[in-house]
Amino acid sequence: MSAAKTFRVLPGFNLTLGYTLGYLSLIVLIPLAAVFLKTAELSFGEFWNVVTAPRVLASYKLSFGTSLLAAAINAVFGLMLAWALVRYSFPGKKLIDALVDLPFALPTAVAGISLTALYAKNGWLGQYLDVFGIKVAFTPLGVLVALVFIGLPFVVRTVQPILEDLDTELEEAATSLGARRWQTFRHVILPILLPALMTGFALAFARAVGEYGSVIFIAGNIPMVSEITPLMIITKLEQYDYTGATAIAAVMLILSFILLLVINGLQAWTAKRTGRDR
């Protein structure tokens, strides 16, 4: 007896697969391959000198350091915001929920200009911070603020659906057994949320590493102080140093692939821990 024929909504596997591979090749694979081909024009020594120049190393430190810190901040406060949106009802809840997605919809240049206007020395917030000697705009702290702004939605939107599916009876059972609030959170809630929280952290970190538009205005672009790696690539292009630009881009690309593998692993772990792969 022959096996029942599997129903497919989109018929023609070969045609669908061919279209998919062709589309990915034109949009993703060929441009990425061009980066490595252009970089291959450099000898290893020239490549090493470009990607380890003092200004480039300083940009790596700033980009990856602030991205990691911003993702950690978003992991904490994104979890708190997601918890408030899921577990509580309050006036303006829908508005706040909609504002979480604002960094997705807002052009990055507009976000950068707005943050600069707010945190400049004579800005609405900057003038009060300046009294305490805190300078945000045109400093690495300004870069951190911009990266926190653009990365928050990733954590909130990753954790929020897990919280919505989390049964409150687990917390009630822990409380009835004598567990305190922190013990309930630490031993009951956090293990369930941790995979999604780590996925949101990785997504926010990956987005922050390559961010340019919202950072370039508030950073100040001071050499060795507030230059991000994407700016170094743009600077090389403006100097018609295409091989130097692609060399730095290749380093960023390799790191992005590593981050992508980590994110996919975290997403698979999340699905396994929450039972969604069944």
Side-chain angles (χ1 to χ4, degrees):
M1 187 175 187
S2 60
K5 186 177 180 180
T6 303
F7 175 75
R8 303 293 183 187
V9 176
L10 296 177
F13 171 76
N14 294 332
L15 179 62
T16 304
L17 180 61
Y19 174 80
T20 302
L21 293 178
Y23 179 83
L24 288 177
S25 297
L26 291 173
I27 303 300
V28 180
L29 298 180
I30 294 178
L32 295 185
V35 172
F36 290 100
L37 290 175
K38 190 67 177 179
T39 304
E41 297 179 4
L42 297 172
S43 65
F44 180 78
E46 292 172 335
F47 171 81
W48 185 257
N49 289 334
V50 170
V51 300
T52 59
R55 285 181 64 180
V56 177
L57 290 178
S59 73
Y60 292 154
K61 182 178 180 180
L62 177 64
S63 293
F64 287 97
T66 54
S67 296
L68 185 62
L69 182 57
I73 293 173
N74 281 327
V76 175
F77 291 97
L79 173 60
M80 295 173 61
L81 179 55
W83 184 277
L85 291 174
V86 172
R87 292 301 178 90
Y88 301 106
S89 296
F90 51 89
K93 176 180 176 179
K94 292 184 178 180
L95 177 61
I96 295 177
D97 190 41
L99 288 176
V100 170
D101 294 325
L102 182 62
F104 288 150
L106 192 67
T108 55
V110 176
I113 294 173
S114 301
L115 291 173
T116 304
L118 284 173
Y119 290 100
K121 188 174 182 179
N122 58 347
W124 291 353
L125 299 178
Q127 60 181 331
Y128 299 108
L129 294 175
D130 187 65
V131 175
F132 300 97
I134 301 175
K135 296 181 180 180
V136 178
F138 316 125
T139 66
L141 182 58
V143 177
L144 177 64
V145 170
L147 296 183
V148 169
F149 174 78
I150 59 99
L152 181 63
F154 291 96
V155 177
V156 176
R157 294 311 185 205
T158 304
V159 174
Q160 195 171 3
I162 307 301
L163 274 174
E164 291 174 349
D165 294 339
L166 184 62
D167 196 344
T168 56
E169 291 182 357
L170 295 175
E171 302 168 47
E172 295 172 356
T175 303
S176 65
L177 293 174
R180 298 180 180 180
R181 292 184 177 182
W182 170 248
Q183 292 176 321
T184 301
F185 176 79
R186 171 66 180 82
H187 298 287
V188 178
I189 300 174
L190 186 59
I192 299 174
L193 295 181
L194 186 59
L197 189 62
M198 292 183 65
T199 301
F201 171 86
L203 289 171
F205 176 64
R207 167 66 190 277
V209 167
E211 181 62 20
Y212 177 79
S214 61
V215 176
I216 198 67
F217 294 99
I218 197 172
N221 310 321
I222 303 172
M224 306 294 293
V225 176
S226 59
E227 281 184 328
I228 58 175
T229 304
L231 176 62
M232 297 303 303
I233 298 175
I234 297 298
T235 302
K236 293 286 186 182
L237 292 175
E238 291 176 345
Q239 296 171 351
Y240 302 101
D241 184 6
Y242 300 119
T243 53
T246 55
I248 300 174
V251 174
M252 297 293 291
L253 184 59
I254 293 172
L255 294 175
S256 297
F257 276 129
I258 295 174
L259 286 172
L260 182 61
L261 292 175
V262 173
I263 290 170
N264 287 336
L266 290 174
Q267 288 175 336
W269 185 30
T270 302
K272 184 177 180 180
R273 289 289 298 271
T274 56
R276 294 184 179 184
D277 57 341
R278 297 176 183 176

